[in-house]
Amino acid sequence: MLLISSNGKEIDIDELFNRYSDDSDRVLANDEIGTIIYTADLDVFSLEVTSNGQLFPKKVNQLSRSRFGTSIIRLQIGGKIASYSSDTIFHIKKDDYVYKVRADKLKKGMVLSTGDKVY
């Protein structure tokens, strides 16, 4: 991911984490899964490529750094935020049926068979 400031200068992600990882007001999460820092007030943008090949700056509100590989994900289900391996199976209720869905395939708005909603 390429990050830039509002004046177009490139920002080093490692430098951001080194600078702000000890700032308790900026750290949203710091646990066994990784670290998330708040960046919305820092005017940090990522460059996204549009379908016609142009670069479009997109505001970055938070940055995360995982301590593990991508097989561990953080989900909010109901009122809880928890970490799961990507192959964890959840039972999703849709109409009169219950489906098995892997954690990495869950989408916002799905409802578990327990009645908890995925956010």
Side-chain angles (χ1 to χ4, degrees):
M1 173 188 306
L2 178 63
L3 297 179
I4 61 169
S5 64
S6 58
N7 61 5
K9 291 186 179 180
E10 187 173 349
I11 296 174
D12 183 6
I13 295 174
D14 292 331
E15 184 180 313
L16 270 179
F17 273 95
N18 291 337
R19 184 182 311 153
Y20 296 115
S21 62
D22 292 331
D23 184 349
S24 62
D25 292 333
R26 193 161 296 283
V27 175
L28 301 175
N30 189 8
D31 56 18
E32 65 277 355
I33 300 301
T35 304
I36 300 173
I37 59 173
Y38 177 76
T39 60
D41 62 335
L42 297 177
D43 288 332
V44 175
F45 298 87
S46 67
L47 289 178
E48 304 282 326
V49 179
T50 63
S51 59
N52 60 3
Q54 294 181 338
L55 294 175
F56 177 76
K58 183 178 177 185
K59 181 83 168 158
V60 176
N61 293 321
Q62 64 186 30
L63 288 172
S64 61
R65 176 173 282 168
S66 177
R67 296 194 203 303
F68 300 110
T70 58
S71 63
I72 302 291
I73 57 176
R74 187 178 285 127
L75 296 170
Q76 180 177 350
I77 298 175
K80 291 184 180 180
I81 298 176
S83 301
Y84 301 94
S85 65
S86 62
D87 60 352
T88 300
I89 299 295
F90 289 91
H91 294 92
I92 301 298
K93 185 176 181 180
K94 185 174 181 183
D95 300 323
D96 292 331
Y97 299 98
V98 175
Y99 298 94
K100 291 182 179 180
V101 178
R102 289 173 42 121
D104 59 350
K105 304 291 184 192
L106 286 177
K107 294 186 173 95
K108 291 179 181 179
M110 287 182 165
V111 178
L112 300 184
S113 61
T114 60
D116 293 323
K117 188 174 181 179
V118 178
Y119 292 96

